[in-house]
Amino acid sequence: MQKYKLSIEFDGTDFSGWQIQPTDRTVEGVLEQVFSKVLQQDIDLIGQGRTDAGVHARGQIAHMDLPEGTDIERVLQGVNGLVGDEVQVIEYEEVHESFHARFDAISREYEYTITTRPIPLMRHHSWALRQTVDLKLLEDCAALLNGEFDFAGFSKFNEDNYTTLCKIQRSLFDTDGDVIRYRIRANRFLRNMVRRLVGTMVRVAQGKMSIEDFKRVLQEPDAEIPTFTAPARGLVLEKVFYKK
């Protein structure tokens, strides 16, 4: 068998996330079904991690094993033709048999897009704010996140977590007219973590929460301070990084 690393782009608007579910339509489920149809055999696609319903990806990574001698380019041409415009496999690479899309990843990077007014052409890929925000406060909050912290207070409980510590390598906002983009890179992310960070930072920037309370949630995850979760539609998994 030959193992392939796939880079996948998808619009998550009408999907219930990446991971296969018994009844809901997911990206992984649709891709496995189409690959199996093209290859006339069952295919197991292993992703680097899950994404929530409504979240998008520019660089989701997955791996799969195919029989030696498979014409991978022909297979991908068939898959991309059948799977529809919401999902496309944009790159492939032959990798060592020991490669694992999830366990070999060393960091991930997400981008969240906010608009300061409703922009119709971006409505499925951004969070339109109805109130003004203090950009300086957004930047101050983002700067606080660089380093290693316990993000239990900014995530959804998951009993499978062996730790809630995450090391943030990059955290910053960039503004271009009516569009504000937040970029964050870390060694790992918890469920809802990016969306909850963005939502809570926006609350601070709108004067609905103090930056001191934001710091406290970061330093004391058990503090009974409510956080806010931003809509899924503004979030994009940009890139997954691996050792060279």
Side-chain angles (χ1 to χ4, degrees):
M1 301 291 280
Q2 174 61 55
K3 182 167 285 187
Y4 290 93
K5 173 187 172 187
L6 307 178
S7 181
I8 301 160
E9 182 176 328
F10 62 84
D11 182 322
T13 302
D14 295 324
F15 288 100
S16 295
W18 163 264
Q19 192 173 36
I20 285 179
Q21 298 180 29
T23 57
D24 296 331
R25 182 172 180 260
T26 67
V27 180
E28 183 183 28
V30 167
L31 278 172
E32 281 196 1
Q33 184 179 35
V34 174
F35 267 110
S36 298
K37 183 175 182 179
V38 170
L39 290 160
Q40 294 296 296
Q41 65 181 77
D42 290 339
I43 293 298
D44 189 18
L45 196 62
I46 308 297
Q48 62 80 31
R50 69 181 68 188
T51 56
D52 294 335
V55 173
H56 319 290
R58 187 167 282 111
Q60 169 72 316
I61 301 296
H63 74 254
M64 63 188 301
D65 294 310
L66 295 179
E68 291 279 359
T70 299
D71 187 341
I72 183 65
E73 292 193 1
R74 184 177 178 182
V75 168
L76 293 182
Q77 184 178 30
V79 168
N80 283 336
L82 289 173
V83 78
D85 294 342
E86 299 164 290
V87 186
Q88 291 285 287
V89 180
I90 56 176
E91 290 181 357
Y92 76 90
E93 177 185 352
E94 293 185 17
V95 290
H96 190 269
E97 63 181 11
S98 64
F99 174 82
H100 196 285
R102 178 184 175 188
F103 299 130
D104 289 350
I106 57 174
S107 61
R108 286 98 168 153
E109 186 164 295
Y110 283 88
E111 183 177 89
Y112 194 98
T113 300
I114 297 167
T115 60
T116 55
R117 66 172 178 86
I119 300 178
L121 294 180
M122 296 179 65
R123 68 190 186 280
H124 294 308
H125 302 93
S126 64
W127 178 22
L129 300 180
R130 301 285 178 169
Q131 295 176 294
T132 58
V133 292
D134 185 326
L135 297 177
K136 179 64 166 54
L137 281 174
L138 284 179
E139 293 169 355
D140 290 345
C141 286
L144 292 171
L145 299 175
N146 288 295
E148 187 173 63
F149 299 95
D150 184 340
F151 284 93
F154 285 108
S155 63
K156 192 173 184 178
F157 174 75
N158 184 354
E159 62 183 10
D160 294 332
N161 282 335
Y162 63 89
T163 179
T164 48
L165 291 175
C166 303
K167 186 174 183 179
I168 308 300
Q169 301 155 349
R170 183 184 188 191
S171 171
L172 55 87
F173 280 95
D174 179 63
T175 305
D176 182 10
D178 295 318
V179 179
I180 303 169
R181 289 189 171 89
Y182 176 61
R183 182 80 64 143
I184 183 170
R185 183 188 300 177
N187 64 329
R188 61 194 298 269
F189 288 93
L190 309 176
R191 289 188 65 185
N192 286 151
M193 177 176 153
V194 180
R195 291 170 55 201
R196 198 162 294 190
L197 283 170
V198 171
T200 308
M201 288 189 285
V202 167
R203 298 286 277 191
V204 172
Q206 290 177 330
K208 298 177 180 178
M209 179 179 181
S210 70
I211 195 167
E212 287 73 24
D213 278 347
F214 182 83
K215 290 178 185 177
R216 190 176 169 201
V217 179
L218 191 62
Q219 296 165 358
E220 301 175 39
D222 294 330
E224 295 184 0
I225 298 174
T227 56
F228 183 78
T229 303
R233 62 182 177 272
L235 186 60
V236 178
L237 171 62
E238 288 288 326
K239 190 172 183 179
V240 183
F241 297 85
Y242 294 88
K243 291 181 180 179
K244 294 183 179 180

